[in-house]
Every structure is written in structure tokens, then in C-alpha cells.
């Protein structure tokens, strides 16, 4: 198993653990991220503080996202789906470098986008910025879309392709999309509602970081989970360097820790921002549930961008789409908590967002699992593990 994927959206802590810096010795003082270790605020963690538990499935394809044009039922359908655990992170680059050139090739000035999740909304905005008129058709709109229930971290490599399919051509395109997206995210820092923020975090481990975890502690999504490529190695310059910490430099009762810095997305205000911008530029949203791809023939637009995420599996009978289940518990917001925690070997990650403390734990059978029912016991167990860090 690829060591970086013991947790679904684990890129943040993976970035904290570069290949060249696995030693656990604390760095010289001049290389510490802060002259004085900060005093992180205590997380208030107990099951009665869970205000919401959500489940959604990552639309994963072993081959990577499907971005291609097809003539279908008298229309040009531009497929743009299958972004796995990286849909938010890659949205700008994928829309601008993947979908937009295919849209432009049609010469159309009015287009339809099907889907109002991370990929559909961003594609619509990118098309508007290119001067096109856009109408979105969707079954659900935010906040009811699956994208709302993501963790909200910069994780452009998370379950986006398998190692087997990571060809040089794919890697080159992925790198361009990741770099373009990264730039676009930086442009959205400091806006009202803080849609994007940089956060510090702690990766904790009972074992030295260079020691493999015992079997069964990998936080794997199940025996079917494939190997993934080390894509983050293509963009090392986009991540501030992480640093190992001595026990005196962090407050947690674990022997090994590193501090890292990562970009996070406050998804709810960010979705609102995208929607407001979309409407302000004349966009329309029509609620519509397509049961069959033939229904597209009735749309007035001749170019249709298909951003239906996991919905493409049923609508376009695409069996290459694999659902990877993910469950997140949201605890009462604690604005004073401004750091992330990932506990290696305990299958636990916490992200502080404006709408709550997100506690993510991965089940043993998440890979190829379309079950969207809530397993409250799993979230309560994750919260109990987290509470042990603050006992
Ligand atoms: C637990 C979890 C955590 C995640 N964390 C992160 C993260 O931290 N960072 C990150 O970048 N990514 C993360 N992801 C991945 C990210 O959420 C997905 O890649 C992204 O949501 C995919 O967006 P989408 O727009 O393709 O799909 P969706 O959000 O599912 O949107 C699909 C749209 O299409 C519409 N639709 C579908 N079928 C039809 C139909 N037949 N007729 C009409 N409309 C239809 C839907 O109503 C919806 O509007 C996470 C995923 C999970 C499950």
C-alpha cells in the first residue's frame, strides 16, 4: 500500500512528511517554523458535541478523471467527472485546462453544464469568465450536493488515479492542473467568509515516521484499494516545508510529531460565493433529474458539459466509476481551534472549519462501497480516540 493513503484526504499530512525529511530528530532552532512553540487551543471533544454526520462517495476512476468530448443524441457532450478525492482541489485547473479547450472547440456561445457540485460550479464559472452564457441543470444544488460533504483540504493527489495508470502524459497534465488550481486558490485568500485559509497542523505517530505501521493500522479503505502514485513529488515547491517536533514542542501525549502547513477550504461559504458569482454574471440554474442520457436531446443547448460526478455511473452507464465512501462527523465549531490533527495508525484526521470541527475516520471497507447510510458508532469511536489526545 502506498503509505500516503492511510486516510482518504490525507495529502495534508503527506505533504508534512516529505521523503527527504523522515528523520525524527528536531531541527536546529533556526529551522523551526516558529521561534516559540505556539500553545494550541484545546479541542472540546465528546460524542454529545457531534452536530452532524455526513456520508458521501468519492467518484474515483482508476484511469483518472474522464475529460473528453463525445457526440451523443445530436449534442456535443463534454465529459468532466471522476475526480476521486481531489474534486475541490483540482477544480480550477481541471475546468480551465481540461474542459474549457473542449468547450471552445465547439464554437458555441451558450452552453449547458449538468451538475452543480465542485466540478460543475467551477466549470460554469470558468466558462463564464471565458465569455460564455451558462445554464446549469442539476438534480441537487448546494448544499445538497455530495461535494458539500468533503473535508475541504488541498488534496490534489487524493485517489485521483492508480499507480498503474499514472503515465507520463497523465502526470504532466495532473501537474499542470494542480499548479493552475493552486494559483487560483491563492487568489481567493482573504475574502469575506474566509473561503480559503492556510492552517498549521500536527501529524502524530506512536511509531517513528520511517517505521511502517503494523498490518491493519494503515487506515486503508479495504483490501481492494489500489496503489496510488506519489504525485505530490511533482509539486514539492507548492508546500511549505514541515518540521519534526520534540515532545517539548507540542502538547500531545504521543512520542512523534511533525508540524505542517496546509491550505483548507471552508466549503459552505465558498459554494455560496461561487453561486453568487455565477448568478451575478447571468447564470441560471434549472432543477432537472436526467434518468437517461437520451433526455439530453431535449435541451436547447447544443454543447453540454457533463459534471455529474458519481451520477455519471448511472446516467452514462460508466462502470469505471468506483464509489469510495467517506464519513465525517462535525462537532460544535470552536473558532479558537486553528490547527489540524492527523494521528497516524489511529485512522483519524481533524480539520477545523468555520462550520465545525471535522472528524474524519476511514472504515475498513470504504473502497468500492456506495453505501451512504450513516454509521454513528464509527464516528463516535473516532471522537473517543481523539478525546484521548486531550485527556
Ligand atoms: C469524505 C470525503 C472527503 C473529501 N475531501 C476532499 C478534500 O478535502 N479535498 C478535495 O479536493 N476533495 C475532497 N473530496 C472529493 C470531492 O468531494 C469530490 O471529488 C467532488 O465532490 C466531486 O465533485 P463533483 O462536482 O464531480 O460531484 P458532485 O458534488 O456529486 O456533483 C454532482 C452534480 O451532478 C448532479 N447530478 C448527478 N446525476 C444527475 C442526473 N442524473 N441528473 C441531474 N443531475 C445530476 C448532482 O445533483 C450534483 O449537482 C472528498 C470526498 C469525500 C467523500
Amino acid at each position: 500500500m502506498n503509505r500516503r493513503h492511510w486516510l482518504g484526504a490525507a495529502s495534508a499530512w503527506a505533504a508534512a512528511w516529505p521523503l527527504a525529511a523522515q528523520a525524527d530528530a528536531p531541527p536546529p532552532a533556526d529551522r523551526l517554523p516558529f521561534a516559540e512553540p505556539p500553545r494550541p487551543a484545546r479541542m472540546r471533544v465528546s460524542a454529545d458535541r457531534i452536530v452532524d454526520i455526513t456520508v458521501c462517495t468519492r467518484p474515483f476512476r482508476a484511469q483518472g478523471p474522464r475529460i473528453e468530448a463525445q457526440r451523443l443524441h445530436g449534442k456535443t457532450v463534454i465529459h468532466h467527472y471522476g475526480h476521486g478525492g481531489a474534486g475541490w482541489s483540482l477544480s480550477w485547473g481541471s475546468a480551465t485546462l481540461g474542459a474549457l479547450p473542449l468547450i471552445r472547440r465547439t464554437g458555441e456561445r451558450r452552453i449547458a453544464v449538468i451538475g452543480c457540485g465542485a466540478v460543475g460550479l467551477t466549470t460554469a464559472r470558468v466558462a463564464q469568465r471565458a465569455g460564455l452564457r451558462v445554464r446549469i441543470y442539476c438534480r441537487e444544488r448546494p448544499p445538497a450536493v455530495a461535494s458539500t460533504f468533503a473535508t475541504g483540504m488541498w488534496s490534489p493527489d487524493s485517489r485521483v488515479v492508480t499507480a498503474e495508470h499514472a503515465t507520463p502524459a497523465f502526470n504532466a497534465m495532473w501537474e499542470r492542473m494542480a499548479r493552475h488550481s493552486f494559483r487560483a486558490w491563492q487568489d481567493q485568500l482573504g475574502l469575506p467568509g474566509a473561503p480559503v485559509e492556510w492552517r498549521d497542523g500536527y501529524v502524530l505517530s506512536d511509531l517513528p515516521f520511517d517505521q511502517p505501521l503494523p498490518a491493519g493500522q494503515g487506515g486503508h479503505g479495504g483490501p481492494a484499494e489500489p496503489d496510488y502514485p506519489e504525485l505530490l513529488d511533482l509539486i514539492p515547491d507548492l508546500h511549505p516545508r514541515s518540521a519534526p517536533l520534540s515532545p517539548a514542542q507540542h502538547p500531545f501525549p504521543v512520542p512523534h510529531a511533525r508540524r505542517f502547513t496546509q491550505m483548507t477550504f471552508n466549503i459552505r461559504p465558498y459554494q455560496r460565493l461561487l453561486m453568487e458569482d455565477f448568478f451575478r454574471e447571468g447564470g441560471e440554474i434549472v432543477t432537472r433529474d436526467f434518468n437517461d442520457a437520451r433526455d439530453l436531446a431535449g435541451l436547447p443547448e447544443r454543447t453540454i458539459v457533463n459534471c455529474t460526478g458519481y451520477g455519471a455511473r448511472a446516467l452514462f452507464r460508466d462502470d469505471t466509476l468506483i464509489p469510495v465512501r467517506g464519513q465525517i462527523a462535525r462537532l460544535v465549531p470552536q473558532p479558537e481551534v486553528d490547527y489540524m490533527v492527523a494521528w497516524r495508525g489511529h485512522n483519524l484526521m481533524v480539520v477545523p472549519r468555520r462550520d465545525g470541527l471535522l472528524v474524519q475516520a476511514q472504515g475498513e471497507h470504504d473502497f468500492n462501497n456506495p453505501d451512504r447510510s450513516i454509521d454513528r458508532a464509527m464516528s463516535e469511536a473516532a471522537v473517543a480516540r481523539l478525546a484521548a489526545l486531550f485527556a
Side-chain angles (χ1 to χ4, degrees):
M1 181 195 59
N2 182 317
R3 63 176 168 74
R4 284 184 167 167
H5 286 270
W6 61 276
L7 219 85
S11 300
W13 82 273
W17 185 20
L19 292 172
Q22 289 181 6
D24 262 339
D30 66 338
R31 284 210 35 223
L32 276 177
F34 301 96
E36 295 290 333
R39 294 280 109 208
R42 172 184 288 265
M43 290 185 187
R44 298 171 64 192
V45 197
S46 53
D48 60 324
R49 292 179 67 84
I50 297 176
V51 292
D52 195 17
I53 301 178
T54 53
V55 179
C56 71
T57 50
R58 300 167 183 86
F60 171 69
R61 293 178 82 237
Q63 309 76 339
R66 183 177 181 198
I67 308 176
E68 63 183 358
Q70 183 184 22
R71 285 295 295 171
L72 205 60
H73 309 306
K75 308 285 181 184
T76 301
V77 177
I78 295 165
H79 297 291
H80 189 207
Y81 65 84
H83 293 73
W88 282 111
S89 305
L90 286 179
S91 54
W92 287 99
S94 184
T96 307
L97 304 173
L100 185 61
L102 299 176
I103 297 170
R104 279 207 164 111
R105 213 170 285 166
T106 66
E108 294 285 343
R109 306 299 302 163
R110 283 174 177 267
I111 63 160
V113 170
I114 308 183
C116 200
V119 176
L121 259 178
T122 312
T123 303
R125 287 293 298 129
V126 164
Q128 283 182 326
R129 286 181 179 187
L132 307 184
R133 288 192 67 83
V134 185
R135 184 182 286 148
I136 293 178
Y137 297 89
C138 58
R139 187 171 52 213
E140 296 105 358
R141 61 181 75 187
V145 294
S147 294
T148 304
F149 311 120
T151 319
M153 288 170 60
W154 168 248
S155 57
D157 64 322
S158 177
R159 290 195 177 96
V160 72
V161 70
T162 61
E164 186 194 350
H165 289 93
T167 60
F170 176 90
N171 292 355
M173 183 60 175
W174 178 89
E175 181 179 347
R176 288 180 63 221
M177 294 195 311
R179 288 185 182 281
H180 184 97
S181 294
F182 185 86
R183 247 289 11 99
W185 287 114
Q186 304 322 300
D187 288 342
Q188 303 184 70
L189 283 165
L191 296 181
V196 184
E197 291 180 289
W198 282 92
R199 299 279 198 189
D200 283 340
Y202 297 88
V203 192
L204 310 176
S205 181
D206 302 331
L207 299 172
F209 283 103
D210 54 1
Q211 196 169 315
L213 293 169
Q217 282 188 23
H220 211 211
E225 184 110 43
D227 276 337
Y228 301 103
E230 305 276 357
L231 293 171
L232 287 185
D233 292 348
L234 298 171
I235 51 170
D237 50 308
L238 298 190
H239 294 276
R241 278 217 301 247
S242 74
L245 300 173
S246 72
Q249 291 170 331
H250 66 85
F252 302 104
V254 289
H256 305 281
R258 299 184 68 92
R259 186 185 298 140
F260 64 99
T261 305
Q262 186 58 278
M263 186 166 45
T264 61
F265 314 131
N266 284 302
I267 290 178
R268 285 158 200 257
Y270 178 62
Q271 279 173 324
R272 288 187 78 102
L273 183 72
L274 283 177
M275 301 263 286
E276 282 165 16
D277 288 351
F278 177 70
F279 288 131
R280 192 175 305 118
E281 289 200 27
E284 275 177 79
I285 299 184
V286 176
T287 301
R288 178 92 184 254
D289 188 357
F290 297 97
N291 291 315
D292 191 284
R294 276 178 302 227
D295 298 346
L296 303 180
L299 297 182
E301 295 84 2
R302 285 181 297 215
T303 293
I304 298 165
V305 192
N306 166 29
C307 304
T308 49
Y310 185 63
R313 187 179 163 108
L315 188 55
F316 290 91
R317 297 192 174 82
D318 183 352
D319 292 341
T320 65
L321 265 170
I322 297 170
V324 186
R325 186 183 186 281
Q327 178 169 309
I328 293 177
R330 202 149 46 103
L331 274 57
V332 175
Q334 273 190 267
E336 72 278 17
V337 173
D338 59 0
Y339 60 94
M340 294 176 272
V341 169
W343 197 0
R344 181 177 176 248
H346 292 259
N347 183 19
L348 188 67
M349 182 155 67
V350 188
V351 177
R353 283 198 337 211
R354 299 291 170 116
D355 58 341
L357 282 187
L358 265 64
V359 179
Q360 189 185 344
Q362 190 160 291
E364 279 302 302
H365 301 287
D366 284 346
F367 193 82
N368 203 2
N369 183 353
D371 183 5
R372 290 192 61 178
S373 53
I374 290 170
D375 178 351
R376 186 172 176 96
M378 186 174 102
S379 285
E380 289 197 356
V383 167
R385 288 199 296 283
L386 179 63
L389 290 177
F390 297 93

Coordinates of all heavy atoms in Angstrom, one line a residue, residues 9 56-59 81-90 114-120 137-141 145-147 149-155 265 288-291 307-312 315 324-328 360, ligand 1:
A9 N -8.5 11.9 2.6 CA -7.9 13.1 2.1 C -6.6 13.4 2.9 O -6.5 14.4 3.6 CB -8.9 14.2 2.3
C56 N -20.5 10.7 2.0 CA -20.7 10.8 0.5 C -19.6 9.9 -0.1 O -18.7 9.3 0.6 CB -20.6 12.2 0.0 SG -19.0 13.0 0.1
T57 N -19.7 9.7 -1.4 CA -18.8 8.8 -2.1 C -17.9 9.6 -3.0 O -18.4 10.5 -3.8 CB -19.5 7.8 -2.9 OG1 -20.5 8.4 -3.7 CG2 -20.2 6.8 -2.0
R58 N -16.6 9.4 -3.0 CA -15.7 10.0 -3.9 C -15.9 9.3 -5.3 O -15.9 8.1 -5.4 CB -14.2 9.8 -3.5 CG -13.9 10.4 -2.1 CD -12.6 9.8 -1.6 NE -12.3 10.3 -0.3 CZ -12.7 9.7 0.9 NH1 -13.5 8.6 0.8 NH2 -12.4 10.2 2.0
P59 N -16.0 10.1 -6.4 CA -16.2 9.5 -7.7 C -14.8 9.1 -8.3 O -14.2 9.9 -9.0 CB -16.9 10.6 -8.5 CG -16.5 11.9 -7.8 CD -16.1 11.6 -6.4
Y81 N -15.8 14.5 -15.3 CA -16.2 13.9 -14.0 C -15.1 12.8 -13.6 O -14.3 12.4 -14.4 CB -17.6 13.3 -14.1 CG -17.7 12.1 -15.0 CD1 -17.4 10.8 -14.6 CD2 -18.1 12.3 -16.3 CE1 -17.5 9.7 -15.5 CE2 -18.2 11.2 -17.2 CZ -17.9 9.9 -16.8 OH -18.0 8.9 -17.6
G82 N -15.3 12.4 -12.3 CA -14.4 11.3 -11.9 C -13.1 11.8 -11.2 O -12.1 11.3 -11.4
H83 N -13.3 12.8 -10.3 CA -12.1 13.5 -9.7 C -11.8 12.9 -8.4 O -10.9 13.4 -7.6 CB -12.3 15.0 -9.6 CG -12.4 15.7 -10.9 ND1 -13.5 15.6 -11.8 CD2 -11.5 16.5 -11.6 CE1 -13.3 16.3 -12.9 NE2 -12.1 16.8 -12.8
G84 N -12.4 11.7 -8.0 CA -12.0 11.0 -6.8 C -12.0 11.9 -5.6 O -13.0 12.6 -5.3
G85 N -10.9 11.8 -4.8 CA -10.8 12.6 -3.6 C -10.2 14.0 -3.8 O -9.6 14.6 -2.8
A86 N -10.2 14.4 -5.0 CA -9.5 15.7 -5.4 C -10.3 16.7 -6.1 O -9.8 17.6 -6.7 CB -8.2 15.3 -6.2
G87 N -11.6 16.5 -6.1 CA -12.5 17.3 -6.9 C -12.4 18.8 -6.6 O -12.4 19.7 -7.5
W88 N -12.4 19.2 -5.3 CA -12.3 20.6 -5.0 C -10.9 21.1 -5.3 O -10.8 22.1 -6.0 CB -12.6 20.8 -3.5 CG -14.0 20.8 -3.1 CD1 -14.7 19.9 -2.4 CD2 -15.0 21.8 -3.5 NE1 -16.0 20.2 -2.3 CE2 -16.2 21.4 -2.9 CE3 -15.0 23.0 -4.2 CZ2 -17.4 22.1 -3.1 CZ3 -16.2 23.7 -4.3 CH2 -17.4 23.2 -3.8
S89 N -9.9 20.3 -4.9 CA -8.6 20.8 -5.1 C -8.2 21.1 -6.6 O -7.6 22.1 -6.9 CB -7.6 19.8 -4.5 OG -7.9 19.5 -3.2
L90 N -8.6 20.2 -7.4 CA -8.3 20.3 -8.8 C -9.3 21.1 -9.7 O -9.1 21.2 -10.9 CB -8.1 18.9 -9.4 CG -6.8 18.1 -9.0 CD1 -6.9 16.7 -9.7 CD2 -5.6 18.8 -9.4
I114 N -24.2 20.1 -16.7 CA -25.1 19.3 -15.9 C -24.3 19.0 -14.6 O -23.2 18.4 -14.7 CB -25.4 18.0 -16.6 CG1 -26.0 18.3 -17.9 CG2 -26.5 17.2 -15.7 CD1 -26.5 17.0 -18.7
G115 N -24.9 19.4 -13.5 CA -24.2 19.2 -12.2 C -23.8 20.5 -11.6 O -23.3 21.4 -12.2
C116 N -24.0 20.6 -10.3 CA -23.8 21.8 -9.5 C -22.9 21.5 -8.3 O -23.0 22.1 -7.3 CB -25.1 22.4 -9.1 SG -25.0 24.2 -8.7
G117 N -22.0 20.5 -8.4 CA -21.1 20.2 -7.4 C -19.8 21.0 -7.6 O -19.8 22.0 -8.3
A118 N -18.7 20.6 -7.0 CA -17.5 21.3 -7.1 C -17.1 21.5 -8.5 O -16.7 22.6 -9.0 CB -16.4 20.5 -6.3
V119 N -17.2 20.4 -9.3 CA -16.7 20.4 -10.7 C -17.7 21.2 -11.6 O -17.2 22.0 -12.4 CB -16.5 19.0 -11.2 CG1 -16.1 19.0 -12.7 CG2 -15.5 18.3 -10.3
G120 N -19.0 21.0 -11.4 CA -19.9 21.7 -12.3 C -19.9 23.2 -12.1 O -19.9 24.0 -13.0
Y137 N -28.0 22.6 -15.2 CA -29.1 21.7 -14.9 C -28.6 20.7 -13.9 O -27.5 20.1 -14.0 CB -29.5 20.9 -16.2 CG -30.0 21.7 -17.3 CD1 -29.2 22.2 -18.3 CD2 -31.4 22.0 -17.5 CE1 -29.6 23.0 -19.3 CE2 -31.9 22.8 -18.5 CZ -31.0 23.2 -19.5 OH -31.5 24.0 -20.5
C138 N -29.4 20.5 -12.8 CA -29.0 19.6 -11.8 C -30.1 19.0 -11.0 O -31.1 19.7 -10.9 CB -27.9 20.2 -10.9 SG -28.6 21.7 -10.1
R139 N -29.9 17.8 -10.5 CA -30.9 17.2 -9.6 C -30.8 17.9 -8.2 O -31.8 18.3 -7.7 CB -30.5 15.7 -9.5 CG -31.6 14.9 -8.7 CD -31.3 13.5 -8.8 NE -29.9 13.1 -8.5 CZ -29.2 12.2 -9.0 NH1 -29.7 11.4 -10.0 NH2 -28.0 12.0 -8.6
E140 N -29.6 18.1 -7.7 CA -29.4 18.8 -6.4 C -28.5 20.0 -6.7 O -27.6 20.0 -7.5 CB -28.7 17.9 -5.4 CG -29.5 16.7 -5.0 CD -28.9 15.4 -5.6 OE1 -28.0 15.5 -6.4 OE2 -29.5 14.3 -5.3
R141 N -28.7 21.0 -5.8 CA -27.8 22.2 -5.9 C -27.3 22.3 -4.4 O -27.8 21.7 -3.5 CB -28.5 23.4 -6.3 CG -29.7 23.8 -5.5 CD -30.4 25.1 -6.0 NE -31.2 24.8 -7.2 CZ -31.8 25.7 -7.9 NH1 -31.7 27.0 -7.6 NH2 -32.5 25.4 -9.0
V145 N -25.6 18.9 -2.6 CA -24.7 18.1 -3.5 C -23.6 17.3 -2.6 O -23.3 17.7 -1.5 CB -24.0 18.9 -4.5 CG1 -25.0 19.5 -5.5 CG2 -23.2 20.1 -3.8
A146 N -23.1 16.2 -3.2 CA -22.1 15.4 -2.5 C -20.9 16.3 -2.1 O -20.3 16.1 -1.1 CB -21.7 14.2 -3.3
S147 N -20.5 17.2 -3.0 CA -19.3 18.0 -2.8 C -19.3 18.7 -1.4 O -18.3 19.0 -0.8 CB -19.1 19.0 -3.9 OG -18.9 18.4 -5.1
F149 N -20.0 17.6 1.3 CA -19.6 16.8 2.5 C -18.2 16.3 2.4 O -17.8 15.4 3.0 CB -20.6 15.6 2.5 CG -22.0 16.0 2.5 CD1 -22.9 15.6 1.5 CD2 -22.5 17.0 3.4 CE1 -24.2 16.1 1.4 CE2 -23.8 17.4 3.3 CZ -24.7 17.0 2.3
A150 N -17.4 17.1 1.6 CA -15.9 16.8 1.6 C -15.3 17.4 2.8 O -15.9 18.3 3.5 CB -15.4 17.4 0.3
T151 N -14.0 17.0 3.0 CA -13.3 17.5 4.2 C -12.9 19.0 4.0 O -13.0 19.8 4.9 CB -12.0 16.7 4.4 OG1 -12.3 15.4 4.2 CG2 -11.4 16.9 5.8
G152 N -12.5 19.3 2.8 CA -12.1 20.7 2.5 C -10.6 20.9 2.7 O -10.2 21.9 3.4
M153 N -9.8 20.1 2.1 CA -8.4 20.3 2.2 C -7.8 20.3 0.8 O -8.3 19.7 -0.1 CB -7.7 19.2 3.0 CG -8.0 19.2 4.5 SD -7.5 17.7 5.3 CE -5.7 17.8 4.9
W154 N -6.6 20.9 0.7 CA -5.9 20.8 -0.6 C -5.3 19.4 -0.7 O -4.4 19.0 0.1 CB -4.7 21.9 -0.6 CG -3.7 21.7 -1.6 CD1 -2.4 21.4 -1.4 CD2 -3.9 22.0 -3.0 NE1 -1.7 21.4 -2.6 CE2 -2.6 21.8 -3.6 CE3 -4.9 22.4 -3.8 CZ2 -2.4 21.9 -5.0 CZ3 -4.7 22.6 -5.2 CH2 -3.5 22.3 -5.7
S155 N -5.9 18.6 -1.5 CA -5.6 17.2 -1.6 C -5.6 16.8 -3.1 O -6.3 15.9 -3.5 CB -6.5 16.3 -0.8 OG -7.8 16.5 -1.3
F265 N -10.3 24.6 2.8 CA -11.4 25.2 2.1 C -12.6 25.2 3.1 O -13.0 24.1 3.5 CB -11.8 24.5 0.8 CG -10.7 24.2 -0.1 CD1 -10.5 22.9 -0.6 CD2 -9.7 25.1 -0.4 CE1 -9.5 22.6 -1.4 CE2 -8.6 24.8 -1.2 CZ -8.5 23.5 -1.7
R288 N -33.4 19.7 -12.5 CA -33.7 18.7 -13.5 C -33.0 17.4 -13.2 O -31.8 17.4 -12.9 CB -33.3 19.2 -14.9 CG -33.6 18.3 -16.0 CD -34.9 18.6 -16.7 NE -35.1 17.6 -17.7 CZ -35.1 17.9 -19.0 NH1 -34.8 19.2 -19.4 NH2 -35.3 17.0 -19.9
D289 N -33.8 16.3 -13.2 CA -33.2 15.0 -12.9 C -33.2 14.2 -14.2 O -34.3 13.9 -14.8 CB -34.0 14.2 -11.8 CG -33.3 13.0 -11.4 OD1 -32.3 12.6 -12.0 OD2 -33.9 12.3 -10.5
F290 N -32.0 13.9 -14.8 CA -32.0 13.1 -16.0 C -31.9 11.6 -15.7 O -31.0 11.2 -15.0 CB -30.7 13.5 -16.9 CG -30.7 15.0 -17.3 CD1 -30.1 15.9 -16.5 CD2 -31.4 15.4 -18.4 CE1 -30.1 17.2 -16.9 CE2 -31.4 16.7 -18.8 CZ -30.8 17.6 -18.0
N291 N -32.9 10.9 -16.2 CA -32.9 9.5 -16.0 C -32.1 8.7 -17.0 O -31.6 7.6 -16.7 CB -34.3 8.9 -16.0 CG -35.1 9.5 -14.8 OD1 -34.6 9.5 -13.7 ND2 -36.3 10.0 -15.0
C307 N -21.0 17.2 -15.7 CA -20.2 17.2 -14.5 C -21.1 16.6 -13.4 O -21.3 17.2 -12.4 CB -19.9 18.7 -14.1 SG -19.0 19.6 -15.3
T308 N -21.5 15.4 -13.7 CA -22.4 14.7 -12.7 C -21.7 13.8 -11.7 O -22.4 13.2 -10.9 CB -23.4 13.8 -13.5 OG1 -22.7 13.0 -14.5 CG2 -24.4 14.6 -14.3
G309 N -20.4 13.9 -11.6 CA -19.7 13.2 -10.6 C -20.1 11.7 -10.6 O -20.1 11.0 -11.6
Y310 N -20.3 11.2 -9.4 CA -20.7 9.7 -9.3 C -22.0 9.4 -10.1 O -22.2 8.3 -10.5 CB -20.8 9.3 -7.8 CG -21.0 7.8 -7.7 CD1 -20.1 6.9 -8.1 CD2 -22.2 7.4 -7.1 CE1 -20.3 5.6 -8.0 CE2 -22.4 6.0 -7.0 CZ -21.5 5.1 -7.5 OH -21.7 3.8 -7.4
G311 N -22.8 10.5 -10.3 CA -24.1 10.3 -11.0 C -23.8 9.8 -12.4 O -24.7 9.2 -13.0
A312 N -22.6 10.0 -13.0 CA -22.4 9.6 -14.3 C -22.4 8.1 -14.5 O -22.6 7.5 -15.6 CB -21.0 10.1 -14.8
L315 N -26.1 7.5 -15.2 CA -26.6 8.3 -16.3 C -25.9 7.9 -17.6 O -26.6 7.8 -18.7 CB -26.4 9.8 -16.0 CG -27.0 10.8 -17.0 CD1 -28.5 10.5 -17.2 CD2 -26.8 12.2 -16.6
V324 N -16.0 5.6 -3.4 CA -15.2 5.4 -2.2 C -15.8 6.2 -1.1 O -15.8 7.4 -1.1 CB -13.7 5.9 -2.4 CG1 -12.9 5.6 -1.2 CG2 -13.1 5.3 -3.7
R325 N -16.4 5.5 -0.2 CA -17.2 6.1 0.9 C -16.4 6.9 1.8 O -15.3 6.5 2.1 CB -17.9 4.9 1.6 CG -18.9 5.3 2.6 CD -19.4 4.0 3.4 NE -20.5 4.4 4.3 CZ -20.3 4.9 5.5 NH1 -19.1 5.1 5.9 NH2 -21.3 5.2 6.3
G326 N -17.0 8.0 2.3 CA -16.3 8.8 3.3 C -17.3 9.3 4.3 O -18.3 9.9 3.9
Q327 N -17.0 9.2 5.6 CA -17.9 9.7 6.6 C -17.2 10.7 7.5 O -16.1 10.5 7.9 CB -18.4 8.5 7.5 CG -19.3 9.0 8.6 CD -20.0 7.8 9.3 OE1 -20.6 6.9 8.6 NE2 -19.9 7.7 10.6
I328 N -17.9 11.8 7.7 CA -17.3 12.9 8.5 C -18.3 13.3 9.6 O -19.5 13.5 9.3 CB -17.0 14.1 7.6 CG1 -15.9 13.7 6.7 CG2 -16.6 15.3 8.5 CD1 -15.6 14.8 5.7
Q360 N -12.7 13.0 10.7 CA -12.9 12.0 9.6 C -12.1 10.8 10.0 O -11.0 10.8 10.5 CB -12.3 12.6 8.4 CG -12.6 11.7 7.2 CD -11.9 12.2 5.9 OE1 -11.4 13.3 5.8 NE2 -11.8 11.3 4.9
Ligands
LIG1 C1 -15.4 12.2 2.8 C2 -14.8 12.9 1.6 C3 -13.9 13.9 1.8 C4 -13.3 14.6 0.7 N1 -12.4 15.6 1.0 C5 -11.9 16.3 -0.1 C6 -11.0 17.3 0.2 O1 -10.6 17.6 1.3 N2 -10.5 18.0 -0.9 C7 -10.9 17.7 -2.2 O2 -10.4 18.4 -3.1 N3 -11.8 16.7 -2.4 C8 -12.3 16.0 -1.4 N4 -13.2 15.0 -1.7 C9 -13.6 14.7 -3.1 C10 -14.6 15.7 -3.6 O3 -15.7 15.9 -2.7 C11 -15.2 15.2 -4.9 O4 -14.1 14.9 -5.8 C12 -16.1 16.2 -5.5 O5 -17.1 16.5 -4.6 C13 -16.7 15.8 -6.8 O6 -17.5 16.8 -7.3 P1 -18.5 16.7 -8.5 O7 -18.9 18.0 -8.8 O8 -17.8 15.9 -9.6 O9 -19.7 15.8 -7.9 P2 -21.0 16.1 -7.0 O10 -20.7 17.0 -5.9 O11 -21.6 14.8 -6.7 O12 -22.0 16.9 -8.0 C14 -22.7 16.2 -9.0 C15 -23.8 17.1 -9.5 O13 -24.4 16.4 -10.6 C16 -25.8 16.3 -10.4 N5 -26.3 15.1 -11.0 C17 -25.8 13.8 -10.8 N6 -26.5 13.0 -11.6 C18 -27.5 13.7 -12.1 C19 -28.6 13.4 -13.0 N7 -28.8 12.1 -13.4 N8 -29.4 14.3 -13.4 C20 -29.2 15.6 -13.0 N9 -28.2 16.0 -12.2 C21 -27.4 15.0 -11.8 C22 -25.9 16.3 -8.8 O14 -27.2 16.7 -8.4 C23 -24.9 17.4 -8.5 O15 -25.4 18.6 -8.7 C24 -13.8 14.3 -0.6 C25 -14.8 13.3 -0.8 C26 -15.3 12.6 0.3 C27 -16.3 11.6 0.1

